[in-house]
Amino acid sequence: MRFPTPSSPHLHGPASVTRLMGRVLLALVPGAAAATWLYGPGVPVQIALAAVTAVACEAAMLRLRGRPLRPFLTDLSAVLTGVLLALALPPTAPWWIAVVGAAFAIVVAKHLYGGLGYNPFNPAMVGFVVLIIAFPREMTAWPAPTILAPLPLAPGEVLRLIFGGTPPSGLGLDAITMATPLDEVRTALTLDKAVPEVLSGAAYGLLGGAAWQWVALAYLAGGLYLAARRLIAWQIPAGMLGALAGLATVFHLLDPARYAGPLFHLFSGAAMLGAFFIATDPVTASTTPRGRLLFGAGVGAITYVIRTWGGFPDGVAFAVLLMNMAAPTIDQYTRPRVFGEQEG
């Protein structure tokens, strides 16, 4: 008589991919709401464009690969990829930017490697990097936040700008956009201005950019919720933010006129979004406790290097992808010792 012998795992917990993705999407709500408050209705429009495109491409690729649609479309992984990508895009970017980025993320970065669980690189960041390299003009045209803009755009004007490329009457694109805090500091340094002089402007607050700091605080709140519920490993955000803040502190102490302080780096750009929502991707990040700390520290260190000496004002996306390449090796050398195993 033969008995069925299914492979491990033999015990299943209550957690599921759908529940995890749903909780992560829920934790993104404060950050998305803050971004919408500060940057207008373009934020939810970009989220809708990227999410719908991601789900459509997911369905198309599942059909081509002969896989069932329902279990994969309802796991919310494609929706999360689209939302993460959209939150990294300028809110008034042309509609095709979100569509191209989401399609590349799902088709190339996810399904050409085998689908969920097999992709070595974070799909949302692959889509973002492709966009920032291929379309730098569209990807760097951030609108002025509503708390700084003399004439905030009406919802109709935002829609015409996204879908028709038509700026408001009498205004050029340059009149409604402004440099991000990270970009402005980099540009000012090339003009031999001191960092304290730049950060004393009205566009900056106590922590970072006047608008960016509130968005970053909202992402921090969502990320702490995920860590408290143990839905993400605390080591990765701790390692990333610790390395970013540590390097910023050292160089700021050496030359405060040329290097911004740790609070500016933590609360500007995509540091908080990257630390809690992107670098913690369970598929592409390290999985061992020590490995997660090293992985996060690597992301933070590379982010600081790119921001300070690299060719882009922010470097979270590049840092995550570079550390994705190193994750298997990190795991290989940081595996916990098996109980009873002798060292050496």
Side-chain angles (χ1 to χ4, degrees):
M1 184 176 181
R2 301 184 61 182
F3 295 96
T5 54
S7 60
S8 59
H10 303 290
L11 297 177
H12 297 274
S16 67
V17 175
T18 302
R19 179 174 297 184
L20 174 61
M21 298 296 171
R23 297 285 177 82
V24 175
L25 286 169
L26 179 64
L28 281 168
V29 170
T36 303
W37 169 49
L38 292 163
Y39 289 96
V43 175
V45 172
Q46 299 291 346
I47 290 175
L49 284 169
V52 169
T53 302
V55 172
C57 291
E58 179 94 346
M61 291 303 295
L62 289 170
R63 181 72 71 183
L64 286 173
R65 297 176 59 207
R67 299 297 180 89
L69 297 183
R70 183 180 176 83
F72 292 102
L73 290 182
T74 56
D75 67 11
L76 300 179
S77 61
V79 176
L80 180 59
T81 297
V83 172
L84 288 175
L85 173 67
L87 291 174
L89 301 179
T92 53
W95 64 269
W96 52 266
I97 285 286
V99 171
V100 170
F104 196 92
I106 296 296
V107 174
V108 177
K110 183 177 181 181
H111 277 282
L112 292 192
Y113 287 98
L116 182 66
Y118 296 95
N119 49 290
F121 301 103
N122 186 298
M125 291 302 95
V126 171
F128 178 85
V129 166
V130 168
L131 290 174
I132 194 71
I133 292 175
F135 309 105
R137 181 174 177 272
E138 289 79 4
M139 289 292 289
T140 54
W142 277 82
T146 54
I147 58 175
L148 297 175
L151 292 173
L153 298 179
E157 294 174 323
V158 172
L159 293 177
R160 283 193 291 275
L161 188 57
I162 293 174
F163 292 100
T166 307
S169 178
L171 295 176
L173 195 59
D174 293 339
I176 58 176
T177 60
M178 65 178 292
T180 64
L182 289 170
D183 199 14
E184 187 169 344
V185 168
R186 283 173 58 90
T187 303
L189 289 174
T190 63
L191 301 175
D192 293 330
K193 291 185 178 179
V195 170
E197 178 187 357
V198 180
L199 299 186
S200 63
Y204 298 89
L206 293 175
L207 303 176
W212 285 94
Q213 64 183 3
W214 297 112
V215 179
L217 284 170
Y219 286 136
L220 174 61
L224 292 177
Y225 160 77
L226 292 178
R229 298 296 300 268
R230 298 187 177 182
L231 298 172
I232 60 172
W234 64 268
Q235 293 95 339
I236 292 178
M240 176 182 167
L241 297 179
L244 182 61
L247 286 172
T249 300
V250 169
F251 283 95
H252 180 67
L253 291 175
L254 291 174
D255 189 353
R258 184 158 186 81
Y259 300 101
L263 286 180
F264 175 77
H265 279 281
L266 291 177
F267 291 94
S268 296
M272 291 297 173
L273 178 65
F276 289 100
F277 296 95
I278 296 172
T280 51
D281 178 10
V283 176
T284 58
S286 291
T287 56
T288 65
R290 283 189 299 147
R292 288 167 178 158
L293 272 174
L294 293 174
F295 179 89
V299 174
I302 295 173
T303 297
Y304 184 79
V305 168
I306 294 176
R307 283 181 174 185
T308 307
W309 300 287
F312 294 91
D314 203 352
V316 172
F318 293 97
V320 168
L321 295 182
L322 288 171
M323 289 309 296
N324 286 161
M325 297 171 62
T329 303
I330 294 175
D331 283 347
Q332 174 69 26
Y333 288 100
T334 57
R335 286 182 300 179
R337 185 166 60 89
V338 178
F339 181 73
E341 179 181 279
Q342 297 294 324
E343 289 187 271

